[in-house]
Amino acid sequence: MSEEVRKQMIYLASVDVLRRLLRSGKVERKVIDRLNKKNAETMGCTVVEIA
């Protein structure tokens, strides 16, 4: 598995965790969005919208 694919998989797993946190209501939307953006930047991925 290439490093790029590995980073994308990790980023998408983090998106899933953030979506679950948002649904649970334990974390504010603006915090979730900020974490998502920072994760994408760190992993070198395109930001996926947290819907």
Side-chain angles (χ1 to χ4, degrees):
M1 175 182 322
S2 74
E3 185 67 18
E4 183 180 341
V5 172
R6 184 178 131 334
K7 286 183 177 185
Q8 288 174 352
M9 289 175 61
I10 292 169
Y11 169 66
L12 291 174
S14 75
V15 168
D16 181 58
V17 170
L18 292 174
R19 285 180 177 155
R20 289 173 193 232
L21 286 170
L22 183 61
R23 267 188 261 134
S24 73
K26 293 180 180 179
V27 182
E28 292 181 26
R29 175 70 185 214
K30 65 181 181 179
V31 174
I32 295 286
D33 289 337
R34 193 172 353 135
L35 286 170
N36 185 39
K37 183 178 176 185
K38 189 63 176 173
N39 283 343
E41 289 173 5
T42 300
M43 299 305 279
C45 298
T46 303
V47 176
V48 174
E49 188 66 31
I50 304 284

